[in-house]
Amino acid sequence: FMGNPGTGKTRVARLFARILHEAGARSSAVMEETTGQKLVQDGAMKADAVIQKAMHGVLFIDEAHSLDPKENRAEGPAIVTKLLKAAEDDRDKLTIILAGYQDEIEDRLYASDQGFKSRFQDVIFPDYDEDELRTMF
């Protein structure tokens, strides 16, 4: 989920998690929310626990660009490896949503490992002007 602050990324992720559960695509309504920075601060071992806690539901990682393994050499590479492995091996049991600014996700996170582009579908949240918002409501 890529877009500027206030474009509804977190809100839509919460609704999407509920829809996945109600449609039977996920057996749990759990949506574990965290940030890339928190995962880096807590370390790779804690990232395992967060992934397991979200299993059968949704893991939402806001500011996911903070996982950039080039910037966070101590924990970033291990966390990225764990996320990519979970995205591949557990795709039938876990939905992982990465959120943040489009340029930072693409330039920092996606550029760090081509596995991201093959495992994650981009959803762009545009900025709307007042007239567009009035039309929607």
Side-chain angles (χ1 to χ4, degrees):
F1 284 16
M2 295 186 254
N4 288 323
T7 54
K9 297 179 299 293
T10 304
R11 176 99 171 116
V12 170
R14 290 175 183 150
L15 291 170
F16 187 58
R18 192 169 79 200
I19 290 167
L20 287 172
H21 176 64
E22 290 175 2
R26 292 293 171 257
S27 61
S28 173
V30 69
M31 180 171 148
E32 186 66 24
E33 294 183 46
T34 190
T35 66
Q37 186 62 39
K38 177 136 178 58
L39 288 173
V40 168
Q41 287 173 345
D42 290 346
M45 294 300 287
K46 178 76 172 180
D48 273 335
V50 172
I51 291 168
Q52 288 307 309
K53 190 173 180 184
M55 199 58 67
H56 303 285
V58 174
L59 172 58
F60 178 76
I61 305 171
D62 202 6
E63 300 171 9
H65 62 272
S66 298
L67 297 170
D68 179 359
K70 293 176 187 166
E71 184 177 309
N72 296 295
R73 291 190 173 130
E75 296 293 337
I79 294 169
V80 164
T81 298
K82 289 174 187 298
L83 287 173
L84 291 174
K85 183 168 176 31
E88 182 65 29
D89 295 352
D90 299 315
R91 68 175 126 189
D92 294 333
K93 299 182 281 190
L94 176 66
T95 298
I96 302 172
I97 300 173
L98 305 174
Y101 299 117
Q102 184 174 357
D103 59 343
E104 290 184 344
I105 294 281
E106 290 174 347
D107 296 344
R108 292 167 64 186
L109 196 58
Y110 284 5
S112 72
D113 191 310
Q114 295 296 47
F116 280 107
K117 285 299 271 182
S118 67
R119 290 175 179 87
F120 292 90
Q121 176 70 42
D122 293 347
V123 177
I124 309 299
F125 287 72
D127 293 328
Y128 294 104
D129 62 30
E130 285 185 47
D131 289 336
E132 291 170 319
L133 289 171
R134 278 192 202 99
T135 301
M136 284 186 250
F137 293 111

Coordinates of all heavy atoms in Angstrom, one line a residue, residues 39-92:
L39 N 10.0 -3.2 14.1 CA 10.6 -4.5 13.8 C 12.1 -4.4 13.9 O 12.8 -5.3 14.4 CB 10.2 -5.0 12.4 CG 8.7 -5.5 12.3 CD1 8.4 -5.8 10.8 CD2 8.4 -6.6 13.2
V40 N 12.7 -3.4 13.3 CA 14.2 -3.2 13.3 C 14.7 -3.1 14.8 O 15.6 -3.7 15.2 CB 14.6 -2.1 12.5 CG1 16.1 -1.7 12.7 CG2 14.4 -2.4 11.0
Q41 N 14.0 -2.2 15.5 CA 14.4 -2.0 16.9 C 14.3 -3.3 17.8 O 15.1 -3.6 18.6 CB 13.5 -0.9 17.6 CG 13.8 0.5 17.1 CD 12.8 1.5 17.6 OE1 11.8 1.2 18.1 NE2 13.2 2.7 17.5
D42 N 13.2 -4.1 17.5 CA 13.0 -5.3 18.3 C 13.8 -6.4 17.9 O 14.1 -7.4 18.6 CB 11.5 -5.7 18.3 CG 10.6 -4.7 19.0 OD1 11.1 -3.9 19.8 OD2 9.4 -4.8 18.8
G43 N 14.3 -6.4 16.6 CA 15.2 -7.5 16.1 C 14.5 -8.6 15.4 O 13.3 -8.8 15.5
A44 N 15.3 -9.4 14.8 CA 14.8 -10.5 13.9 C 14.0 -11.6 14.7 O 13.1 -12.2 14.2 CB 15.9 -11.2 13.2
M45 N 14.5 -11.9 15.9 CA 13.8 -12.9 16.7 C 12.3 -12.5 17.1 O 11.4 -13.2 17.0 CB 14.5 -13.2 18.0 CG 15.9 -13.8 17.8 SD 15.8 -15.4 16.9 CE 15.1 -16.4 18.2
K46 N 12.2 -11.2 17.4 CA 10.8 -10.7 17.7 C 10.0 -10.6 16.4 O 8.8 -10.8 16.5 CB 11.0 -9.3 18.3 CG 9.7 -8.6 18.6 CD 9.0 -9.1 19.8 CE 7.8 -8.2 20.1 NZ 7.1 -8.6 21.3
A47 N 10.6 -10.4 15.3 CA 9.9 -10.4 14.0 C 9.3 -11.7 13.8 O 8.1 -11.8 13.3 CB 10.9 -10.0 12.8
D48 N 10.0 -12.8 14.1 CA 9.4 -14.2 14.0 C 8.1 -14.2 14.8 O 7.1 -14.8 14.4 CB 10.3 -15.2 14.6 CG 11.3 -15.7 13.5 OD1 11.0 -15.7 12.3 OD2 12.4 -16.2 13.9
A49 N 8.1 -13.7 16.0 CA 6.9 -13.7 16.9 C 5.8 -12.9 16.3 O 4.6 -13.3 16.4 CB 7.3 -13.2 18.3
V50 N 6.1 -11.8 15.7 CA 5.1 -10.9 15.1 C 4.4 -11.7 13.9 O 3.2 -11.7 13.7 CB 5.7 -9.6 14.7 CG1 4.7 -8.8 13.9 CG2 6.1 -8.8 15.9
I51 N 5.3 -12.3 13.1 CA 4.8 -13.1 12.0 C 3.8 -14.2 12.4 O 2.8 -14.4 11.9 CB 5.9 -13.6 11.1 CG1 6.6 -12.4 10.4 CG2 5.4 -14.6 10.1 CD1 8.0 -12.8 9.8
Q52 N 4.3 -14.9 13.5 CA 3.4 -16.0 14.0 C 2.1 -15.5 14.6 O 1.1 -16.2 14.4 CB 4.2 -16.8 15.0 CG 5.3 -17.7 14.4 CD 4.8 -18.5 13.2 OE1 3.9 -19.3 13.4 NE2 5.5 -18.5 12.1
K53 N 2.2 -14.4 15.2 CA 1.0 -13.8 15.8 C -0.1 -13.4 14.8 O -1.3 -13.5 15.0 CB 1.3 -12.6 16.7 CG 0.2 -12.1 17.5 CD 0.8 -11.0 18.5 CE -0.3 -10.4 19.3 NZ 0.1 -9.3 20.1
A54 N 0.4 -13.0 13.6 CA -0.5 -12.7 12.5 C -0.9 -13.8 11.6 O -1.8 -13.7 10.8 CB 0.2 -11.6 11.6
M55 N -0.3 -15.0 11.8 CA -0.6 -16.2 11.0 C -2.1 -16.4 11.0 O -2.8 -16.3 12.0 CB 0.1 -17.4 11.6 CG 0.3 -18.5 10.6 SD 1.1 -18.1 9.0 CE 2.8 -17.7 9.6
H56 N -2.6 -16.8 9.8 CA -4.0 -17.0 9.5 C -4.8 -15.7 9.4 O -6.0 -15.8 9.3 CB -4.7 -18.0 10.5 CG -4.0 -19.3 10.6 ND1 -4.1 -20.2 9.6 CD2 -3.1 -19.8 11.5 CE1 -3.3 -21.3 9.9 NE2 -2.7 -21.0 11.1
G57 N -4.1 -14.6 9.4 CA -4.7 -13.3 9.3 C -3.9 -12.4 8.5 O -3.3 -12.8 7.5
V58 N -3.7 -11.1 8.9 CA -3.0 -10.1 8.2 C -1.9 -9.5 9.1 O -2.1 -9.2 10.2 CB -4.0 -9.0 7.7 CG1 -3.2 -7.9 7.0 CG2 -5.0 -9.6 6.7
L59 N -0.7 -9.3 8.5 CA 0.4 -8.5 9.1 C 0.5 -7.2 8.3 O 0.7 -7.2 7.1 CB 1.7 -9.3 9.0 CG 2.9 -8.6 9.5 CD1 2.8 -8.1 10.9 CD2 4.2 -9.5 9.3
F60 N 0.3 -6.1 9.0 CA 0.4 -4.8 8.4 C 1.6 -4.1 8.9 O 1.8 -3.9 10.1 CB -0.9 -4.0 8.7 CG -0.9 -2.6 8.2 CD1 -1.1 -2.3 6.9 CD2 -0.6 -1.5 9.0 CE1 -1.1 -1.0 6.4 CE2 -0.6 -0.2 8.6 CZ -0.8 0.0 7.2
I61 N 2.5 -3.7 8.0 CA 3.8 -3.1 8.4 C 3.8 -1.7 7.8 O 4.0 -1.5 6.6 CB 5.0 -3.9 7.9 CG1 5.0 -5.3 8.4 CG2 6.3 -3.2 8.4 CD1 6.0 -6.2 7.9
D62 N 3.6 -0.7 8.6 CA 3.6 0.7 8.2 C 5.0 1.2 8.1 O 5.9 0.6 8.8 CB 2.8 1.6 9.1 CG 2.3 2.9 8.5 OD1 2.5 3.1 7.3 OD2 1.7 3.7 9.2
E63 N 5.3 2.2 7.3 CA 6.7 2.7 7.1 C 7.6 1.6 6.9 O 8.7 1.5 7.4 CB 7.1 3.5 8.4 CG 6.2 4.7 8.6 CD 6.4 5.4 10.0 OE1 7.4 5.0 10.6 OE2 5.6 6.2 10.3
A64 N 7.2 0.7 6.0 CA 8.0 -0.5 5.7 C 9.4 -0.2 5.1 O 10.3 -1.1 5.2 CB 7.2 -1.4 4.7
H65 N 9.6 0.9 4.5 CA 10.9 1.3 4.0 C 12.0 1.3 5.0 O 13.1 1.1 4.7 CB 10.8 2.7 3.3 CG 10.5 3.8 4.3 ND1 9.2 4.1 4.5 CD2 11.3 4.5 5.0 CE1 9.2 5.1 5.4 NE2 10.4 5.4 5.7
S66 N 11.6 1.4 6.3 CA 12.5 1.3 7.4 C 13.2 0.0 7.5 O 14.2 -0.1 8.2 CB 11.8 1.6 8.7 OG 11.3 2.9 8.7
L67 N 12.7 -1.0 6.8 CA 13.3 -2.3 6.9 C 14.5 -2.4 5.9 O 15.2 -3.5 5.9 CB 12.3 -3.4 6.5 CG 11.1 -3.6 7.4 CD1 10.1 -4.5 6.8 CD2 11.6 -4.1 8.8
D68 N 14.8 -1.4 5.2 CA 15.9 -1.4 4.2 C 17.1 -2.0 4.7 O 17.8 -1.5 5.7 CB 16.1 0.1 3.7 CG 17.3 0.2 2.7 OD1 17.9 -0.8 2.3 OD2 17.5 1.4 2.3
P69 N 17.6 -3.1 4.2 CA 18.7 -3.8 4.8 C 20.0 -3.1 4.6 O 21.0 -3.3 5.3 CB 18.8 -5.2 4.0 CG 17.8 -5.1 2.9 CD 16.9 -3.9 3.1
K70 N 20.1 -2.2 3.6 CA 21.3 -1.4 3.4 C 21.4 -0.3 4.5 O 22.5 0.0 4.9 CB 21.3 -0.7 2.1 CG 21.4 -1.7 0.9 CD 21.3 -1.1 -0.4 CE 21.3 -2.1 -1.5 NZ 20.9 -1.6 -2.8
E71 N 20.3 0.2 5.0 CA 20.3 1.2 6.0 C 20.4 0.6 7.4 O 20.9 1.1 8.4 CB 19.0 2.1 5.9 CG 19.0 3.2 6.9 CD 17.8 4.1 6.7 OE1 17.5 4.5 5.5 OE2 17.1 4.3 7.7
N72 N 19.8 -0.6 7.6 CA 19.7 -1.3 8.9 C 20.4 -2.6 8.8 O 19.8 -3.6 8.8 CB 18.3 -1.5 9.3 CG 17.5 -0.1 9.5 OD1 17.9 0.6 10.4 ND2 16.6 0.2 8.7
R73 N 21.7 -2.5 8.7 CA 22.5 -3.7 8.4 C 22.5 -4.7 9.6 O 22.7 -5.9 9.3 CB 24.0 -3.3 8.1 CG 24.1 -2.6 6.8 CD 25.5 -2.4 6.4 NE 25.5 -1.9 5.0 CZ 26.1 -0.8 4.7 NH1 26.9 -0.2 5.5 NH2 26.0 -0.4 3.4
A74 N 22.3 -4.3 10.8 CA 22.3 -5.2 11.9 C 21.1 -6.2 11.9 O 21.2 -7.4 12.0 CB 22.3 -4.5 13.2
E75 N 19.9 -5.6 11.7 CA 18.7 -6.5 11.7 C 17.9 -6.5 10.4 O 17.2 -7.5 10.1 CB 17.7 -5.9 12.8 CG 18.3 -6.0 14.2 CD 18.4 -7.5 14.7 OE1 17.7 -8.4 14.2 OE2 19.3 -7.7 15.6
G76 N 18.0 -5.5 9.6 CA 17.3 -5.4 8.3 C 17.4 -6.6 7.4 O 16.3 -7.2 7.0
P77 N 18.6 -7.1 7.1 CA 18.6 -8.3 6.2 C 17.9 -9.5 6.7 O 17.2 -10.2 6.0 CB 20.1 -8.6 6.1 CG 20.8 -7.2 6.3 CD 19.9 -6.6 7.4
A78 N 18.0 -9.8 8.0 CA 17.4 -11.0 8.6 C 15.9 -10.8 8.6 O 15.1 -11.8 8.3 CB 17.9 -11.2 10.0
I79 N 15.4 -9.6 8.9 CA 14.0 -9.4 8.9 C 13.4 -9.5 7.5 O 12.3 -10.1 7.3 CB 13.6 -8.0 9.6 CG1 14.0 -8.1 11.1 CG2 12.1 -7.7 9.4 CD1 14.0 -6.7 11.7
V80 N 14.1 -8.9 6.5 CA 13.6 -9.0 5.2 C 13.6 -10.4 4.7 O 12.6 -10.9 4.1 CB 14.6 -8.2 4.2 CG1 14.4 -8.5 2.8 CG2 14.3 -6.7 4.5
T81 N 14.6 -11.2 5.0 CA 14.6 -12.7 4.7 C 13.4 -13.4 5.3 O 12.7 -14.2 4.6 CB 15.9 -13.3 5.1 OG1 17.0 -12.7 4.5 CG2 15.9 -14.8 4.9
K82 N 13.1 -13.1 6.6 CA 12.0 -13.7 7.2 C 10.6 -13.3 6.6 O 9.7 -14.2 6.4 CB 12.0 -13.4 8.7 CG 13.1 -14.0 9.5 CD 13.1 -13.5 10.9 CE 14.3 -14.0 11.7 NZ 14.4 -15.5 11.8
L83 N 10.5 -12.1 6.2 CA 9.2 -11.6 5.6 C 9.1 -12.2 4.2 O 8.0 -12.7 3.9 CB 9.2 -10.1 5.5 CG 9.0 -9.3 6.8 CD1 9.2 -7.8 6.6 CD2 7.6 -9.6 7.4
L84 N 10.1 -12.2 3.5 CA 10.0 -12.8 2.1 C 9.7 -14.3 2.2 O 8.9 -14.9 1.4 CB 11.3 -12.6 1.3 CG 11.5 -11.1 0.9 CD1 12.9 -10.9 0.2 CD2 10.4 -10.6 0.0
K85 N 10.3 -15.0 3.2 CA 10.1 -16.4 3.3 C 8.6 -16.7 3.7 O 7.9 -17.5 3.2 CB 11.0 -17.0 4.4 CG 10.9 -18.5 4.6 CD 12.0 -19.1 5.4 CE 11.8 -20.6 5.7 NZ 11.2 -21.4 4.7
A86 N 8.1 -15.9 4.7 CA 6.7 -16.0 5.1 C 5.8 -15.7 3.9 O 4.8 -16.4 3.7 CB 6.4 -15.1 6.3
A87 N 6.1 -14.6 3.2 CA 5.3 -14.3 2.0 C 5.2 -15.4 1.0 O 4.1 -15.6 0.3 CB 5.8 -13.0 1.4
E88 N 6.2 -16.1 0.9 CA 6.3 -17.2 -0.1 C 5.7 -18.5 0.5 O 4.7 -19.1 0.0 CB 7.7 -17.5 -0.6 CG 7.8 -18.6 -1.6 CD 7.1 -18.3 -2.9 OE1 7.1 -17.1 -3.3 OE2 6.7 -19.2 -3.6
D89 N 6.2 -18.9 1.6 CA 5.9 -20.2 2.2 C 4.5 -20.3 2.8 O 3.8 -21.3 2.9 CB 6.9 -20.7 3.2 CG 8.3 -20.9 2.7 OD1 8.4 -20.9 1.4 OD2 9.2 -21.1 3.5
D90 N 4.0 -19.1 3.4 CA 2.8 -19.1 4.1 C 1.7 -18.3 3.4 O 0.7 -17.8 4.0 CB 3.0 -18.5 5.5 CG 4.0 -19.4 6.3 OD1 3.8 -20.6 6.3 OD2 4.9 -18.8 6.9
R91 N 1.8 -18.1 2.1 CA 0.9 -17.2 1.4 C -0.6 -17.7 1.5 O -1.5 -16.9 1.3 CB 1.3 -17.1 -0.1 CG 1.2 -18.3 -0.9 CD 1.5 -18.0 -2.3 NE 2.6 -18.9 -2.8 CZ 3.2 -18.8 -3.9 NH1 2.9 -17.9 -4.7 NH2 4.1 -19.7 -4.2
D92 N -0.8 -19.0 1.8 CA -2.2 -19.5 1.9 C -2.7 -19.2 3.3 O -3.9 -19.4 3.6 CB -2.2 -20.9 1.6 CG -2.0 -21.2 0.1 OD1 -2.2 -20.3 -0.7 OD2 -1.5 -22.3 -0.2

